[in-house]
Amino acid sequence: MAKIIPFKAVRPAEDKVSLVTCRNYDDYSQAELAAWLNFNPYSFLHVINPAYVHSQKISWDKRFKGVALKFQDFKRDSIFVTEEKPIFYLYEIKTKTNSFTGILAGTSVQDYKDNHIKKHEDTLQYRVELFKEYLHQTRFNTEPVLITYPDSIELNTWISLKKKNKPLYCFSTTTREKHTLWKIDTENEIEWLKEHFDAIPDLYIADGHHRSASADLLHDEDKHLGNPNLDHFLSFLIAESNVKIYEFNRVIRDLNQHSVEDFLKLLEEHFIIVSKQQELWKPTEKGEFGMYLNGSFYALFFKKSNQETSILENLDAQILYDYVLHPILGIDDLRNDERIDYIPGKQSITIIKEIIDEGAFEIGFTLFPIDVNEIKSIADANLIMPPKSTYIEPKFRSGLVVYEL
């Protein structure tokens, strides 16, 4: 059973929401960050970067304490307001190319422990512990875990009708996105949604494996405090068909001491290689890989063997690692090897060409994106995909809805 609960959110005052919310902190360049912090006193960036005003580097402990104090300042100054009672929210994000709609709710830590909320990515323990400490010190979270549920005609119909109501927020951002938020606050609506999700056997994490793991760790460490909010974590629940899954493409700094000619010969053992010269070619189906090397594009077609393979071995990201990155290019640790970097598939293939032509990298690979059924199959089999196998949208606005702990 997938248990969800309404929660008593903290959120921006209606007249300030477009000024308060921000993208993920790491998405900003230093110039952008300085501009927002200098000229927008309401930006949530002031909360998550409290040391900026002092222009100094501080320890994580001091930073987290500063975040907590700044968050309380925003509440005191009525930049943030607290909802009168626990509710759900319906949230729509419209970008230039896609539209996403989901439900903001608390999801159960126990469901996570019991694998009713399923995972497909590994986590780094130091990141889990660091974000757990952030939650422990600040006592709030505004970054929901993105979780998919099976498509439902009944729920889709209800969402369409709900969107006809007057929203709580409707605002646009400088990235030309439109954000709309509706309250789900009647007892009938709340109970109906809880019952609907109660009938779903399993949910699947699309994005946010570290955040959910941190919530689990915090629950175990602080459960003696008797805080019921620790039993759940903030999630954005979205239909499987409504997520957008991009690939992560790879660029590598060198050919591991191989010449171009020798490298191409080594590839021929497992791939059919077709020169595309200057054509900006990308894979059109599974088992195909694009490559940019020495000023030219190539199409690589994997030579499938008759040997039966597992779900994991059949993933394109795993194939590339097993037959190219590891044995030929000497990439062992996909997370930490400084010779490899990753480019989200939503970015143009010309980005890969440009950074290789500039000389920082020598070779690049493009992949075909994974679909949601592959993610579910990996999760159902309790397997873990290679790092950076997916880049998934939507991405949430920080400071829009806050779950207090």
Side-chain angles (χ1 to χ4, degrees):
M1 302 294 182
K3 295 178 177 61
I4 66 170
I5 63 161
F7 62 102
K8 195 174 180 180
V10 174
R11 55 179 176 79
E14 290 181 42
D15 64 320
K16 297 181 179 66
V17 61
S18 62
L19 296 171
V20 172
T21 65
C22 63
R23 307 195 307 274
N24 182 283
Y25 179 82
D26 293 330
D27 287 348
Y28 291 88
S29 67
Q30 285 301 311
E32 279 185 298
L33 191 61
W36 281 106
L37 290 168
N38 280 326
F39 299 109
N40 180 4
Y42 299 116
S43 175
F44 193 69
L45 290 168
H46 287 287
V47 175
I48 56 182
N49 190 20
Y52 175 79
V53 69
H54 305 296
S55 298
Q56 62 182 11
K57 291 185 177 180
I58 58 175
S59 67
W60 288 116
D61 184 66
K62 285 184 177 179
R63 177 172 179 171
F64 296 161
K65 284 182 169 64
V67 170
L69 289 171
K70 195 66 178 177
F71 177 61
Q72 294 303 321
D73 287 346
F74 268 46
K75 289 176 67 177
R76 183 199 63 216
D77 295 340
S78 298
I79 298 170
F80 278 127
V81 297
T82 302
E83 205 67 72
E84 293 181 357
K85 65 176 184 178
I87 64 173
F88 295 124
Y89 297 92
L90 183 67
Y91 178 37
E92 180 186 67
I93 306 168
K94 284 189 175 181
T95 69
K96 288 182 286 186
T97 54
N98 295 297
S99 178
F100 307 99
T101 303
I103 296 160
L104 284 162
T107 48
S108 169
V109 170
Q110 193 59 50
D111 281 351
Y112 177 86
K113 290 178 182 295
D114 294 340
N115 206 32
H116 291 305
I117 297 177
K118 298 195 172 187
K119 314 104 183 151
H120 67 265
E121 283 187 7
D122 205 356
T123 55
L124 297 174
Q125 191 59 28
Y126 82 90
R127 283 187 58 191
V128 171
E129 291 180 357
L130 183 63
F131 192 65
K132 181 272 299 179
E133 189 59 26
Y134 169 87
L135 297 175
H136 176 77
Q137 297 268 15
T138 64
R139 310 313 302 184
F140 75 84
N141 182 29
T142 186
E143 299 180 35
V145 177
L146 183 65
I147 293 180
T148 65
Y149 60 81
D151 279 76
S152 160
I153 294 175
E154 186 180 18
L155 189 52
N156 288 344
T157 301
W158 179 85
I159 287 173
S160 296
L161 291 173
K162 186 69 179 176
K163 284 184 179 181
K164 295 179 180 179
N165 295 340
K166 182 181 178 181
L168 171 65
Y169 301 140
C170 185
F171 64 97
S172 296
T173 68
T174 54
T175 53
R176 298 189 178 185
E177 293 178 349
K178 183 180 178 182
H179 298 260
T180 311
L181 190 76
W182 293 264
K183 283 186 178 184
I184 305 171
D185 57 359
T186 68
E187 289 301 318
N188 286 341
E189 288 178 313
I190 289 172
E191 288 306 312
W192 182 81
L193 272 180
K194 288 169 68 175
E195 289 173 6
H196 183 89
F197 278 91
D198 244 354
I200 298 173
D202 298 309
L203 301 174
Y204 294 80
I205 296 176
D207 191 22
H209 287 78
H210 285 88
R211 296 191 290 278
S212 51
S214 297
D216 181 27
L217 186 59
L218 181 70
H219 172 270
D220 289 350
E221 290 192 6
D222 285 0
K223 60 185 176 184
H224 65 279
L225 300 175
N227 180 356
N229 287 356
L230 294 175
D231 295 338
H232 297 83
F233 54 89
L234 180 62
S235 294
F236 185 42
L237 300 153
I238 189 168
E240 292 171 0
S241 64
N242 198 205
V243 294
K244 178 65 177 176
I245 305 173
Y246 298 92
E247 75 282 8
F248 260 114
N249 297 312
R250 281 91 161 110
V251 287
I252 295 90
R253 295 188 184 278
D254 58 67
L255 293 181
N256 196 26
Q257 300 183 341
H258 296 294
S259 68
V260 172
E261 292 76 14
D262 287 344
F263 175 73
L264 291 173
K265 285 180 182 177
L266 290 169
L267 278 185
E268 286 179 342
E269 181 180 355
H270 296 290
F271 297 88
I272 297 169
I273 305 172
V274 178
S275 174
K276 295 293 183 177
Q277 298 180 350
Q278 295 305 302
E279 179 187 347
L280 298 174
W281 189 86
K282 289 189 71 175
T284 58
E285 60 181 61
K286 279 180 59 61
E288 298 179 356
F289 302 85
M291 182 174 73
Y292 183 69
L293 172 66
N294 201 29
S296 295
F297 287 94
Y298 296 85
L300 308 181
F301 302 94
F302 183 58
K303 299 175 182 178
K304 294 182 175 65
S305 67
N306 294 325
Q307 184 177 352
E308 189 173 337
T309 56
S310 69
I311 303 167
L312 184 60
E313 291 171 324
N314 198 40
L315 285 179
D316 283 354
Q318 191 68 43
I319 291 170
L320 188 66
Y321 177 77
D322 288 342
Y323 294 95
V324 183
L325 300 183
H326 183 51
I328 302 177
L329 295 178
I331 302 292
D332 183 31
D333 187 344
L334 289 170
R335 287 190 183 276
N336 300 309
D337 196 315
E338 294 182 352
R339 295 172 54 228
I340 188 169
D341 206 351
Y342 302 89
I343 311 295
K346 66 177 297 184
Q347 295 189 22
S348 170
I349 191 174
T350 58
I351 299 294
I352 294 175
K353 181 180 187 302
E354 287 170 5
I355 63 174
I356 291 174
D357 288 346
E358 288 169 359
F361 295 86
E362 192 166 352
I363 188 170
F365 296 95
T366 55
L367 289 76
F368 189 73
I370 291 171
D371 67 36
V372 71
N373 290 321
E374 287 180 285
I375 289 176
K376 290 176 65 177
S377 295
I378 290 290
D380 287 340
N382 294 314
L383 297 172
I384 299 299
M385 293 196 303
K388 299 292 186 180
S389 291
T390 58
Y391 178 89
I392 299 180
E393 289 187 338
K395 301 297 184 186
F396 201 81
R397 298 282 291 182
S398 289
L400 179 63
V401 172
V402 181
Y403 183 92
E404 289 192 296
L405 298 166

